[in-house]
Amino acid sequence: MMLISMCRRVLAVVVLAVLAPFMAATPASALPGEQPWEMYDGPGTTTASTPNAAHNILTGVTMTVWRGLTDDGIWYEARDSSGAKTPNLPSANSHTNYAPAIAPAGRGFVMVHTGTDGNLYYSVNADSSSPQNWTSWTPVKYTDASGTRNASSKDGPSIIEIDGNVTIAYHARSSSAIYTIDGTVSGSSVNWYNNVRMNVTSSYAPAIANYGGRLYVAYRADSGVGNGHVYWSHRTGQGTADWTNGTPVRSFGSQPGVGRPAIATHNATLDVATLTGTNTTGPHGILRIQWNGSSWGSWEPDPQGFQTASPVSMHAGLIGSSIVMLMRGLDENAIWEKTVSDIN
């Protein structure tokens, strides 16, 4: 009954239909192998932005991070493979206007966020068997021909693990450019280098994924370049500037959608999710598509018809077996999650 009172579904007849006005409704059944949407930790766990999570395959710990609804602080919770969890904990001395992001690294995690001053900051948990142990927030700095600089953004960053290290994708602070910066993780510190401006632009923040050692950045192209549709670019490994020019993820018709997309990998597929709609405030429906390494499937709506006012996020829950999607609920701002199924 809580599902009925807290969520709304899209009244649509076909996949590409224009979204009709929303109303409270009983959600449809999930696809085979797909769990229904559930509150992450009850109605008391609320967020002001998109929640994010990452899974560490070495320790079996999943770490979820979010921006507090009322304090703009950064909160986190760890769950081990048995489902046991730490309490919701605030990250010390952290405030942000945007969603934080997290990635596994070694036996722990690296968390990043955009501070209220616009600079990127990171914190390291070196061993997730002690999930409450995090380093102090440190600016993401890099050195170029002009000297040492702070990486800065006007939106929340995205971060991914690759070969035990990490790469951040972020929106420029004073333009529509998208940048990536690589980080070498050593214990409780990260050495940041190779700050690269990609040959793409967007009005929204990007998302990044690691697909078999190749990094993929998904972004929403500016309306004058790609009509607001989801595009992607890729390169192999770290330490290079060899990002490809952006190419469109399969178009889904006259509704390009809004907000940052989400991207994640599992098994041999790459999943991309996006929000439908034509305004920035929502509510928005959720569409998802899979790439099998050679071709795209079709955009499919969330089978339960859930809607959200913030972009969704995705991460590999148990590597090779599932992708978990998270979102911020429409009315109560609670964190919702579900394991999604293959759609190809």
Side-chain angles (χ1 to χ4, degrees), residues 32-72:
E34 181 164 297
Q35 297 176 358
W37 283 103
E38 295 180 349
M39 278 192 179
Y40 170 78
D41 202 19
T45 303
T46 54
T47 180
S49 305
T50 302
N52 281 284
H55 180 78
N56 191 304
I57 62 173
L58 297 181
T59 63
V61 172
T62 299
M63 192 79 72
T64 303
V65 299
W66 64 94
R67 172 187 164 206
L69 180 63
T70 59
D71 61 3
D72 288 332

Side-chain angles (χ1 to χ4, degrees), residues 77-139:
E77 182 183 84
R79 293 186 181 184
D80 64 22
S81 56
S82 70
K85 60 186 179 181
T86 63
N88 296 349
L89 293 170
S91 178
N93 302 315
S94 62
H95 288 88
T96 182
N97 297 321
Y98 311 104
I102 191 165
R107 293 182 57 82
F109 294 91
V110 178
M111 193 189 317
V112 295
H113 81 279
T114 301
T116 53
D117 60 359
N119 293 326
L120 298 185
Y121 292 84
Y122 77 97
S123 179
V124 178
N125 167 256
D127 191 334
S128 55
S129 63
S130 300
Q132 299 175 348
N133 294 339
W134 291 87
T135 62
S136 299
W137 288 102
T138 304

Side-chain angles (χ1 to χ4, degrees), residues 234-293:
H234 62 81
R235 80 173 190 205
T236 301
Q238 291 185 301
T240 76
D242 298 333
W243 288 102
T244 62
N245 292 329
T247 55
V249 173
R250 183 171 179 173
S251 173
F252 55 96
S254 61
Q255 293 225 18
V258 296
R260 80 189 299 167
I263 187 169
T265 62
H266 80 124
N267 292 332
T269 65
L270 186 70
D271 277 45
V272 174
T274 188
L275 302 184
T276 63
T278 57
N279 62 75
T280 58
T281 59
H284 304 293
I286 303 167
L287 294 178
R288 186 167 63 96
I289 193 171
Q290 283 184 334
W291 188 67
N292 62 13

